[in-house]
Amino acid sequence: MELIQSFSVDHTRIVPGIFTSRVDTLGEWKVTTYDIRLKRPNKEPVVDPAAMHTLEHIIATVLRNDPDWKDEVVYWGPMGCLTGFYLILKGSRAPEDLYGIVLRAFKSVEDAQEVPGATAVNCGNYLMHNLEMAKWYAREFASYLEANAGNRAIFEYPGTQRLVTEDGQHFFDS
């Protein structure tokens, strides 16, 4: 089997940021998956699962209620590796175009007094939330985005070229 696109990115070189992961055409619709990366893979501790769950609830609620973005949001959810989130939007925008909404969404976590949808009726694991830790991670990421707003590296996956030999060995540029 071929590696899927998200596994073909050199994770040893990814920094936190906002990246285009893939663009798909589904009939007449174009849908783009964005990688909202909070942590450097395999170099930093991952986001605490309860805090990640809380960030998922709060930011999904913010995005789906934002008057300028709610009609474009298809999905917001955590990566299995707990280093970031996937945001899927209708259409295709440059990652820089998402900077404002992503920054606002993470800053909004600070004002949350409760976790939306954190009840047994609304959530499959309503006891696994940590609002205070979610606020800490959100502040950390928002500060990082602000400090690196002019840094192209937070919007572009690190370039990698892979030489594949006839016997299937992979070599990476570094």
Side-chain angles (χ1 to χ4, degrees):
M1 277 193 266
E2 287 186 38
L3 279 179
I4 63 172
Q5 193 167 347
S6 63
F7 296 157
S8 298
V9 176
D10 186 347
H11 283 68
T12 65
R13 298 175 63 198
I14 295 175
V15 298
I18 304 166
F19 310 102
T20 299
S21 179
R22 61 181 293 146
V23 179
D24 294 294
T25 302
L26 307 170
E28 60 187 60
W29 293 56
K30 189 172 277 194
V31 179
T32 305
T33 302
Y34 298 93
D35 173 336
I36 311 301
R37 189 71 62 154
L38 279 64
K39 299 291 182 178
R40 292 184 70 191
N42 305 305
K43 293 190 185 335
E44 294 182 77
V46 299
V47 178
D48 170 77
M52 187 73 133
H53 190 200
T54 299
L55 288 168
E56 176 193 8
H57 276 238
I58 295 170
I59 294 174
T61 301
V62 168
L63 293 172
R64 290 181 181 278
N65 283 281
D66 186 281
D68 297 327
W69 289 87
K70 67 182 182 180
D71 293 334
E72 292 185 44
V73 176
V74 174
Y75 174 79
W76 169 264
M79 295 176 175
C81 62
L82 301 176
T83 62
F85 292 88
Y86 287 116
L87 172 60
I88 302 174
L89 298 176
K90 295 176 192 170
S92 182
R93 296 174 178 249
E96 297 87 345
D97 296 341
L98 278 64
Y99 178 85
I101 186 63
V102 170
L103 182 61
R104 279 195 313 277
F106 277 86
K107 283 186 160 197
S108 75
V109 175
E110 187 67 34
D111 298 327
Q113 300 300 310
E114 61 183 29
V115 181
T119 69
V121 171
N122 304 118
C123 178
N125 196 357
Y126 78 101
L127 295 175
M128 191 184 81
H129 285 282
N130 188 330
L131 182 56
E132 291 310 309
M133 281 302 299
K135 288 181 179 191
W136 185 87
Y137 285 111
R139 274 192 306 274
E140 178 186 55
F141 188 59
S143 294
Y144 173 86
L145 287 178
E146 289 176 321
N148 287 280
N151 181 355
R152 294 286 319 139
I154 72 165
F155 300 114
E156 294 177 4
Y157 272 143
T160 184
Q161 299 211 357
R162 296 177 182 210
L163 170 66
V164 181
T165 64
E166 288 180 24
D167 63 348
Q169 289 185 307
H170 290 256
F171 293 88
F172 300 88
D173 70 341
S174 56

